Amino acid sequence: QPVEATDDAFWDQFWADTATSVQDVFALVPAAEIRAVREESPSNLATLCYKAVEKLVQGAESGCHTEKERQIVLNCCRLLTRILPYIFEDPDWRGFFWSTVPGAGRGAGDEDDENARPLAESLLLAVADLLFCPDFTVQSHRRSTVDTAEDIHSIDSCEYIWEAGVGFAHSPQPNYIHDLNRTELLKLLLTCFSEAMYLPPSSDSSNTNPWVQFFCSTENRHALPLFTSLLNVVCAYDPVGYGIPYNHLLFSDYREPLVEEAAQVLIVTLDYDSSTSSSPTVDGTTTGTAMDDVDPPGPDNLFVNYLSRIHREEDFQFILKGVARLLSNPLVQTYLPNSAKKIQFHQELLVLFWKLCDFNKKFLFFVLKSSDVLDILVPILYFLNDARADQSGVGLMHIGVFILLLLSGERNFGVRLNKPYSVRVPMDIPVFTGTHADLLIIVFHKIITSGHQRLQPLFDCLLTIIVNVSPYLKSLSMVAANKLLHLLEAFSTTWFLFSAVQNHHLVFFLLEVFNNIIQYQFDGNSNLVYAVIRKRNVFHQLANLPTDSQSIQKGLQRKKKTPEPISRTNSQDGVSMEGSRPAAPAEPGTLKTSLVATPGIDKLTEKSQVSEDGTMCSLEPESSQPSPEGNPPSAVSDGEPWSGEASHPQRDRRRLSSASSSGQWTPTPDWVMSWKSKLPLQTIMRLLQVLVPQVEKICIDKGLTDESEILKFLQHGTLVGLLPVPHPILIRKYQANSGTAMWFRTYMWGVIYLRNVDPPIWYDTDVKLFEIQRV
């Protein structure tokens, strides 16, 4: 039966308990009980929420000076963290926190003005105040213990930022009680924001989360110091424990839970679709007249706004060094295993790094300008290689590839890849001597040939990245050159080319890679040229690809005999690096969350042409023929649409001719001809025509079987004046779009759902944004 809101004795028992932890609250308040109260005595649940928020507001007003007040605040905080997901899962309750509670004014006088605040706003403002509460979550600046304690409303929270770094020079004395209290409050904040998990994914990514929207608005007077505190706490964290091995075993690290929570709150507050906004152009100005020297109004979300306005070199350095240090942490194999604490929040860090590059172009250019970009690249390649066989790691694979796609759109990235790779991170890949470009190609080859099936949609992206960097690669190792040719061999088999409508794009990408290197970097790439000569039959077979129906059918028959997508037989893998473990599939029973589909590569990128002086101009998509799915890669821009769903009247006849009765797509001679005629083989054929006779002559003359002589000859050879006119370099740059914005939202919340197991905040609630699946 309903309990009166005025019955303080009854309500106080919920938070008066002295020593509880958030785990106790979860154990004492079972899910079934919360749901029962919600269905059977809704007024009691409403009163409980309202009372708990009221206690938080009182704590924020008074400044929590006594131990008792702090205990009450923490208990209310834990209770709300427990209850909120059950309010979000019921559509009828969702509006509850956004309604005003009748008669909830603080006394008669300020009835009107206080009444106007919905419960959610009071809750968020109280949490923000409590995060800068002297002696509770921050050090007090008062020297003496005079009874004039600091008034929480008069303090300037910018003087209480939690950690030195961006915009704040002073590093406060670490205090583990404060860290624990901050962590509990941030957990509640994250739970407030998690309403997003209970709404199905929508194509309209602009529907903002009201909790985040309010918290990151000018209504929150602590927005700037809180944003700075979260960012600095994450980027300043050093899990190694001040350089003393095994230090983390001696005292429990109370900083790490705070850093994890801060990283999660940060990426959720930055969930903002940049493709819908008037985003600043490359140099940080929006397109406007020269007269508008005022800063363009940034997004209403202040966290996004502040992030996009960071501009000092030393701030960029601090952020980049911090993120690189944390991402490299799982790779740090010292001589003493387990000597350094291994962090688990690398997925949140990758999302944060993505947001930084996406919202702050100056940061992106800073990253590309410094050689530290390789300290981001190597960990990403490590994670990609490590997760390639793990069905629960699909999201991690995608974000790693997206970041590399974003970086590969800039020339500096390709240039940086020429740096020799000397760090020996134990990875399950063949041993090689070479550059970071070799590492990237070898890892990508490994993902394509030995990753699991669900990674196939990423092949386009992986090859696009290699195409983007190829014009700048000065010298590939023999191992990497062989890997590229092995991919071409695998992708140009007839059954692969004829078995899906877009498979031939992969061949076009690889040919583009070879053409870029031969035309722009011939001099240093004798290994690749040698590999092309050795595998010349692959190019001849492509040029003579059969197009008659009988051969097409025969090619497809072959598929039935060899179901393995890409055989690894012709790829000499050699010995893996020492100390490496093979990439393992997920343990059966591992939980994973579903993801929405990502847009095709044509939607993900826009083409830019590099002109003589190295500047890029974006190419307008050819509008001569309306293509339903944007333009496929340049090589096939006016051929068939590459999505099966296209329906344009003038195409319907052509589609019927190529669709069998079952509605399945089948390859036709016309279709094969339409793209075969565009295979860019001229450069390579010319190279073979010139070099093969010369190489054969050397072999006959000297009776050679030794490749070193041939390589020496190729190193000094030249094709100047013999090759066709160099083609313009095409770069496919990542472009923001609402499809990827939605993907990031589902991925990010999926990570947060799975990572919060102690206590399991959302476990077993009716989440709608994704499905929870078992491997």
Side-chain angles (χ1 to χ4, degrees), residues 18 59 66 68 93 104 114 116 139 215 234 264 275 283 335 376 400 404 424 514 516 523 537 579 640 706 751 761:
T18 44
T66 65
K68 182 170 184 244
W93 274 83
E114 279 296 332
Q139 298 285 198
F215 191 78
V234 173
Q264 293 179 358
S275 66
D283 54 356
Y335 295 110
I376 300 282
L404 297 182
R424 285 282 166 253
F514 297 134
N516 281 344
D523 287 353
N537 61 321
E640 282 280 57
D706 175 25
V751 168
I761 302 182

Side-chain angles (χ1 to χ4, degrees), residues 163-165 231-239 255 318 322 325-326:
E163 185 60 76
L231 185 62
N232 292 352
V233 156
V234 173
C235 295
Y237 178 55
D238 186 357
R255 205 29 114 50
F318 164 75
R325 176 178 60 242
L326 291 170

Side-chain angles (χ1 to χ4, degrees), residues 411-601:
R411 172 179 179 273
N412 264 352
F413 182 66
V415 174
R416 290 272 167 225
L417 289 179
N418 291 308
K419 189 179 172 187
Y421 176 68
S422 48
V423 223
R424 285 282 166 253
V425 175
M427 283 164 84
D428 169 30
I429 53 171
V431 180
F432 71 98
T433 306
T435 65
H436 285 75
D438 295 308
L439 176 68
L440 179 132
I441 288 169
I442 291 166
V443 168
F444 283 10
H445 171 270
K446 200 80 172 168
I447 294 167
I448 291 172
T449 55
S450 64
H452 57 87
Q453 292 281 256
R454 303 247 331 262
L455 298 179
Q456 222 148 2
L458 277 177
F459 291 1
D460 275 343
C461 271
L462 292 169
L463 294 187
T464 299
I465 293 166
I466 300 179
V467 174
N468 281 349
V469 300
S470 59
Y472 311 110
L473 304 183
K474 293 200 178 335
S475 165
L476 288 183
S477 70
M478 193 57 102
V479 179
N482 284 334
K483 297 297 178 211
L484 284 176
L485 277 139
H486 175 243
L487 288 179
L488 182 69
E489 216 173 350
F491 289 148
S492 59
T493 59
T494 47
W495 78 255
F496 184 78
L497 285 173
F498 297 157
S499 60
V501 69
Q502 74 282 15
N503 281 355
H504 60 274
H505 296 164
L506 300 173
V507 170
F508 277 86
F509 284 139
L510 284 164
L511 291 176
E512 209 176 323
V513 171
F514 297 134
N515 288 339
N516 281 344
I517 292 177
I518 292 167
Q519 288 281 19
Y520 292 99
Q521 299 288 351
F522 180 82
D523 287 353
N525 273 299
S526 51
N527 287 330
L528 184 75
V529 174
Y530 179 61
V532 167
I533 291 174
R534 275 189 47 209
K535 292 278 185 193
R536 55 190 180 276
N537 61 321
V538 180
F539 299 97
H540 289 304
Q541 278 165 4
L542 264 176
N544 301 317
L545 189 73
T547 55
D548 57 290
S549 310
Q550 207 178 351
S551 309
I552 294 176
Q553 283 315 309
K554 210 151 144 197
L556 289 172
Q557 290 307 309
R558 232 174 266 165
K559 176 185 184 178
K560 299 199 176 87
K561 291 184 210 136
T562 51
E564 171 76 16
I566 291 163
S567 79
R568 269 162 276 169
T569 44
N570 328 23
S571 161
Q572 302 86 6
D573 253 6
V575 196
S576 271
M577 297 171 75
E578 90 179 86
S580 67
R581 300 186 324 270
E587 292 285 318
T590 306
L591 289 180
K592 66 188 177 85
T593 54
S594 62
L595 293 162
V596 291
T598 49
I601 193 74

